[in-house]
Each structure stands twice: as C-alpha cells, then as structure tokens.
Amino acid sequence: KQVIQFVAQMDLSLKNAMGQTVSQVLADMKSVNRSDSLPGLMAERIEGHLEPAEPASSFLCLFKGQVRTGVYWRMIGEGYAKFGNDYARGLEYLRHIGFCQVSTNPVLAAKAFDEDPGLTEELKEEVIKHDDWIERPDAHADTMALAATLIALWPNLAVFRPLALHTGLKDFMVSFQLNPNIADDAELSIADAKQAYQLAAKYLKRYDEWLGLGDRAGHIGPNIVFKVAASSKAARTITRELNREGIGTNNTVVYSVGQEVLLIADAFAGKAKAIQQGKTVTRTYETNMGGRFASHLREVAAEKIFLDAAEKIGPLRAQAYLDDLARSLRVEAATSAKLADSALIDKIRTICSFKYLKSLDQADFLAASEAAGHEPKEICQLEEDLRKAGTLVARRVHGVFYSPKNRPRWIRYLQETYSLSGEQATEILDSMDVLPASKRISEDTLHALGSRNMCHTEFPNQARAVQLRSEQPGFRLEDFRESVAANYEAGVIDRLSTWRDFGLGYSLTSELKELLLRVGLEEAKDWPVDGILPAEWPEFGPVVKTSEEFRAAYLAFRTKCISIAREAAHSETVRHGSLTDKVEVKS
C-alpha cells in the first residue's frame, strides 16, 4: 500500500511538473511579438484543448497537429518556397515547420530584449567579465551592443547548427545586422563583421563539441551571414570582400532592381574568388524590402494628393481634411499637439506615414482626394497598384537570375568570366536566394513563391496573417505555385511608372543593361535605364527612411546596453564592495 501511495504521489508530482512546463512553453510561444505571431496563434489554439490528466503528451500531439496542418508546413514540404523568421525569437517552434533562415536588425534585437528578460541577465553576466565596460560603459557602447545582439542570436545559431552542418552551410543561416552607424565605411564594417564572425566561431566550436559534432564540423565556419546595408556604394565592397573570405552576406536596405542585381553580381564575384582560393561558399541572401518600398510610394502619393488639395481648395480647407483623417486614424493626442504649430507639409508627412496610414482607400482620405480633383475609383486603383510594387521588383530580380531561360546563361557567364568549371559556376548561382522581406499584406508572400532560390523572411504577424488567409473559404494554395514567375496585367506597371520613385526602383541603369546583355538576357534590351545609380543610393527615399529608423533604433539599443551595464556594475558593487578593490572581476 505504501509503495502504491508513493508511486501515486510521484505520478501526481510528475504531472504537476509537466503541467507547469507546458504552461511555461505556451506562455513563451505567446510572448513572441506579444502573441501577434504564428507561434502565438498555435498556442492559442492548443491551450483550450489540453488534457489536464496528460498535459505533456496532449501538448505534443496538439503541437504536431498545429504544425502539420498549417499552410507553411505545406508550402515548405511541397517546395513552394523556403521560409525564414524575420525576428530574433520564436525559431525553436518555427524550425519544426521547416523554417531555414533567421533575419534580424537593431529594431528586432531590442524587441527580443523587451520580450525575454533572460537576455538582459545574460548581458549583465557578460558585462561583469570586462572591467573596462563597467568602468567606462559609454566608451564601449558599440562593443556591448555587438555582444548584446549576438546574445539574442545565440539561441538561433544553436537551434540551426546541426542542420546547417548537415547542408554544408547551404541553408539554416542566421543573419546579423552590422552597425548601421558605420554602414558607409567599408573598412570598419568588414572589421566589425570579422569580429562577430570570430565570436560566433568560438561559441559554436564549444557547442559542436557539446553535441559530439566536433570532428564532423571540421573546418566549417559558423552558420552566420552579415546584413550589409545598401545605403551607399560601400555595400558593394563589403559584399565582395566578405564573400571572398567565404563569409556570407545578406544585403538589406534594398528596394530597387538596380541595387539588387548589382549586389548579387558583386556577391558572385566574391564567391568566385573564394572558390579559387579553396574557401567555402555559403548561402547568401539578397533582401527585397518590398513592403517598405510600397509604403514609401504610398507616402509619396498621399503627400502629393494633399498638396494638390491645398493648391486647389486652399491650405485651411486642406488642413481640415487632414484633421479629419488624423482623427479617423487615431493619431495620438501628443503627436497632434506637437504638430499644432508645424508647417502643413510636416503635418502631412507625419499623418500620412505608414505608422498611421496603411491604405489610401478609406473614407477620409478619399474625401480629401476628391477635393484635390481625384475620383475615388482612381485612388482605389492606385492603392491596388501600390500593393504590387515590391512584388514587381522581387519578380524582376528573381527572373533575371533564376528563370529557366536565364539560369544557364548565368552559369555560362560565370564560367567564362572567372575561369570556373560548370559545377563551380552552378554552386555559386545556387548559393544565392532572393529574400522578400518587410511584408505588409499576405499577397507579399503569396505572389512571390518560387521553388528555386526564393526564401521568404516572415515577420511574426505576417506568418500569422498568411496562415489565417489560407483558412478563408475559396483559398487554393495551388493557385500560387511559382507565382514569382507570374505577371500582373500590363496596366499596373504603366500606371505605377508615372510615379518617379517607382521608375527609380523598377528600371535598370545603363551599366546594368550592358551587363545583362553581355550575359545574354535579350529581353533587357527593351527595359528602361532610368533606375537608381549607386551614387544615388544614399538619397533614395526609402533608403533614407529605413536608414534613419535603423540608426535611431541602434542608438536606443546602445543606450539600453549602457543602462544594463550600469545596473550590472551596481550589483557587483553591492555584492563585492568597490569594484576598484576587486582583484579579478572577469572570473
């Protein structure tokens, strides 16, 4: 009887422990982007069906059901495209679906620290190993921000490591954003990347040994690539040189065909040198920030429409329409008060920014448009067209390199230009993925699916939105197979081309046209050449906006790291007395 009672108590204790563990896992899933995520959606659907008597086994069965009935499981399993996580957290769940890439930036690193208090504690532990950080945190802010970002990425590197080794670094890569404050300095950026690469290699060397993969890992480097901001032509040098060292890149802050084609060609040049020197060719990425491009074009259009209204009906009446729009968009009172004495153009730019204005086809904006002389149907058509702008760029770039007719042309070009074998040229071409990012609507994913060299990186809320879209009546995933090769009706490009910034983003430059014709892309002879030049990258509207956002986010994150360092110093002082009296803090 005592044995039976003991076993029963142990069984109850085990179930209680399992129940607590499952609750913690579900809470963690819902913490990803504050539950506005695919893991959050899965957790919401699991928790109402758990069996209290069997919390662990019922969780595993329910989790498996959520994974294997989702649209991403099907898209990945049936080869519609590859997918990555555009976030620093949640990969431990998405990996089970088949996600094979992680992308992050200063904004997302800061969010990871907000969502996971454990990261702050890890950074404090790192801080107290460095006397100089504690004594002068302001002087080491960039170094601490680098360490903090890597701390946020370590779990992702670890989750992907065995799979990355299995593929020889051809997939399962983690993208690390280089310091945006030095993005225009090739030498400093390359040094920054190499430092992070060495730190990652040191961490993974120990990790490989813990997994018993030390011998198997051999000379294979860390599964990390570096996000290079194309905010200046320095990005070209950084891209070539890192790939030449066998270190992969992920070009970001890119919106135009000109940027993307040129930087892919630069990556190819670097990879060719790596092969000639016997170095590894890793998976690299060319981000297409299509959602941000569309948002920029919408902001430009909204600004013009309100300025047209001011010219036609007068600034005061235009201001009244703008006030109505601000109220309907629920612009914060503090923001409205700050704008009270601002010029009309500043008010327009704030209220019509993507932060507030997600779409042109809403009542108060249509009313302002009519006052400016635009028919509502014209504005609704414009909104439909704008939503396709980023996808048009992604489709053109992917087609240039990976359409069935162009792929062999590039293999031949790489062979002839860099004296490579067919196998080597194919390896280089296949090691690059176009990476649609910054999604705003589900079509940003569904309209650019491709089975080869197409890897989508999904915000948590985007993945949730695509899953919910797939559950709507009438949805057929089959309708989107190889959608990256599809065409919108011709009028879309014609109408969008009346906007100068779309032309800058969608057209070639003379240099690129010459390159593509040399490769053998005969269709390029009819493409316009009024695209953005490398010297103009820093002034291109979406580049300016994103660079400013990234720099501000980086500075805020750096300030947060300084604050954490001071907290760590204070805790050490409390525990051990004056830090200056300690012989060894680093232990």
Side-chain angles (χ1 to χ4, degrees):
K1 186 181 291 186
Q2 287 178 330
V3 171
I4 291 172
Q5 289 175 343
F6 176 75
V7 171
Q9 289 172 353
M10 288 294 293
D11 186 51
L12 180 61
S13 297
L14 181 61
K15 285 181 180 178
N16 288 338
M18 287 295 184
Q20 291 174 7
T21 300
V22 168
S23 295
Q24 290 170 358
V25 170
L26 289 170
D28 186 66
M29 292 173 72
K30 290 192 289 185
S31 74
V32 177
N33 201 36
R34 294 176 172 82
S35 203
D36 190 10
S37 61
L38 186 55
L41 178 64
M42 294 164 68
E44 292 163 15
R45 292 175 169 179
I46 289 171
E47 59 187 353
H49 299 280
L50 286 169
E51 296 177 17
E54 297 291 343
S57 60
S58 65
F59 169 80
L60 290 173
C61 289
L62 290 165
F63 181 79
K64 179 179 178 180
Q66 288 295 317
V67 165
R68 298 198 176 188
T69 58
V71 71
Y72 283 95
W73 175 268
R74 186 175 170 199
M75 287 193 290
I76 294 168
E78 296 179 15
Y80 279 79
K82 294 187 291 186
F83 288 92
N85 188 31
D86 201 356
Y87 212 63
R89 297 186 64 244
L91 182 64
E92 60 269 43
Y93 311 110
L94 299 173
R95 179 186 68 80
H96 292 282
I97 303 174
F99 279 44
C100 64
Q101 187 269 348
V102 171
S103 184
T104 190
N105 57 44
V107 179
L108 301 181
K111 284 187 177 182
F113 270 75
D114 290 339
E115 292 178 7
D116 185 356
L119 296 177
T120 297
E121 296 308 311
E122 287 187 51
L123 180 57
K124 286 181 180 179
E125 290 176 11
E126 183 63 27
V127 167
I128 63 175
K129 298 175 184 176
H130 303 270
D131 294 343
D132 48 349
W133 292 12
I134 291 176
E135 292 168 4
R136 299 178 61 209
D138 295 79
H140 300 279
D142 286 318
T143 305
M144 289 191 297
L146 171 66
T149 306
L150 286 171
I151 284 170
L153 289 183
W154 289 150
N156 296 299
L157 283 170
V159 167
F160 268 169
R161 183 59 175 173
L163 296 164
L165 290 175
H166 179 68
T167 65
L169 301 187
K170 294 301 187 289
D171 268 316
F172 304 100
M173 307 300 288
V174 178
S175 295
F176 173 85
Q177 174 81 54
L178 293 174
N179 182 347
N181 287 338
I182 58 173
D184 301 341
D185 189 315
E187 186 176 349
L188 287 177
S189 292
I190 291 169
D192 201 25
K194 288 183 176 180
Q195 181 185 4
Y197 188 84
Q198 290 167 357
L199 289 170
K202 182 178 179 181
Y203 168 76
L204 289 172
K205 184 177 185 297
R206 295 196 305 271
Y207 188 71
D208 291 342
E209 291 171 354
W210 294 337
L211 291 179
L213 297 174
D215 293 336
R216 183 174 176 183
H219 66 283
I220 298 178
N223 50 308
I224 191 169
V225 299
F226 294 94
K227 295 184 77 170
V228 179
S231 52
S232 77
K233 60 183 181 182
R236 300 192 62 193
T237 301
I238 301 168
T239 298
R240 284 195 301 267
E241 290 306 308
L242 289 181
N243 279 286
R244 179 174 184 161
E245 295 293 325
I247 301 173
T249 53
N250 177 357
N251 296 115
T252 185
V253 193
V254 284
Y255 313 87
S256 69
V257 173
Q259 286 174 299
E260 295 181 39
V261 173
L262 199 54
L263 288 167
I264 289 175
D266 288 332
F268 286 170
K271 288 169 183 281
K273 294 292 184 182
I275 279 185
Q276 291 166 353
Q277 296 168 18
K279 295 178 180 177
T280 302
V281 171
T282 66
R283 171 68 59 198
T284 53
Y285 305 93
E286 188 62 38
T287 292
N288 171 63
M289 303 183 88
R292 286 180 178 267
F293 184 44
S295 295
H296 166 71
L297 295 175
R298 182 181 294 107
E299 290 167 352
V300 169
E303 179 182 324
K304 182 180 186 306
I305 287 168
F306 263 106
L307 290 177
D308 287 348
E311 184 176 344
K312 189 165 185 176
I313 62 176
L316 290 178
R317 290 183 63 193
Q319 174 70 58
Y321 280 110
L322 192 60
D323 291 341
D324 289 340
L325 180 63
R327 281 190 289 273
S328 68
L329 296 176
R330 299 183 180 180
V331 175
E332 299 91 339
T335 300
S336 298
K338 189 182 295 185
L339 290 171
D341 298 324
S342 300
L344 179 61
I345 184 63
D346 293 326
K347 294 178 181 177
I348 293 170
R349 285 175 178 166
T350 297
I351 294 168
C352 294
S353 67
F354 179 74
K355 179 179 180 180
Y356 301 112
L357 185 64
K358 312 295 188 196
S359 176
L360 301 180
D361 55 357
Q362 50 186 293
D364 287 298
F365 189 84
L366 292 175
S369 301
E370 281 196 274
H374 301 282
E375 292 290 330
K377 65 179 182 180
E378 174 192 348
I379 302 303
C380 291
Q381 181 65 66
L382 174 59
E383 175 61 32
E384 286 186 28
D385 293 341
L386 290 173
R387 294 182 181 192
K388 298 178 175 69
T391 298
L392 284 167
V393 173
R395 285 177 172 182
R396 172 159 282 188
V397 172
H398 188 270
V400 161
F401 292 97
Y402 297 110
S403 69
K405 63 180 179 180
N406 288 338
R407 191 172 180 279
R409 293 169 175 170
W410 279 101
I411 291 173
R412 184 171 59 252
Y413 170 81
L414 292 171
Q415 284 183 264
E416 295 173 354
T417 304
Y418 300 107
S419 301
L420 303 173
S421 68
E423 183 179 352
Q424 290 171 328
T426 300
E427 181 182 11
I428 289 174
L429 188 66
D430 286 347
S431 69
M432 171 67 73
D433 281 344
V434 178
L435 192 81
S438 303
K439 318 289 186 60
R440 308 302 198 209
I441 55 177
S442 59
E443 287 80 3
D444 290 340
T445 295
L446 297 171
H447 287 189
L449 298 178
S451 58
R452 301 190 71 164
N453 302 94
M454 178 61 72
C455 182
H456 286 259
T457 183
E458 308 284 79
F459 283 150
N461 60 341
Q462 174 72 7
R464 182 184 179 112
V466 171
Q467 176 59 42
L468 292 173
R469 167 73 185 279
S470 73
E471 297 170 5
Q472 293 178 2
F475 178 87
R476 282 171 32 90
L477 182 58
E478 295 85 353
D479 295 339
F480 302 101
R481 185 174 286 282
E482 300 299 338
S483 57
V484 72
N487 294 310
Y488 294 122
E489 54 101 358
V492 175
I493 295 174
D494 293 339
R495 290 188 295 269
L496 285 173
S497 294
T498 62
W499 296 91
R500 179 175 180 272
D501 278 11
F502 176 78
L504 289 173
Y506 192 62
S507 302
L508 298 176
T509 64
S510 297
E511 176 189 1
L512 280 178
K513 187 170 189 175
E514 182 181 334
L515 169 63
L516 296 187
L517 292 176
R518 195 160 64 244
V519 172
L521 277 71
E522 298 175 359
E523 62 269 31
K525 69 178 185 298
D526 297 323
W527 293 355
V529 291
D530 52 351
I532 185 170
L533 297 165
E536 299 168 333
W537 291 357
E539 285 78 43
F540 191 35
V543 171
V544 172
K545 293 172 183 176
T546 303
S547 296
E548 289 175 352
E549 180 185 339
F550 281 5
R551 288 191 184 105
Y554 177 78
L555 291 174
F557 185 51
R558 197 174 65 170
T559 300
K560 183 182 183 77
C561 292
I562 293 171
S563 176
I564 291 171
R566 287 177 175 151
E567 289 177 17
H570 177 71
S571 65
E572 280 296 289
T573 302
V574 170
R575 282 189 294 168
H576 303 292
S578 173
L579 284 172
T580 57
D581 295 333
K582 279 192 61 63
V583 177
E584 182 59 63
V585 176
K586 293 181 181 180
S587 62

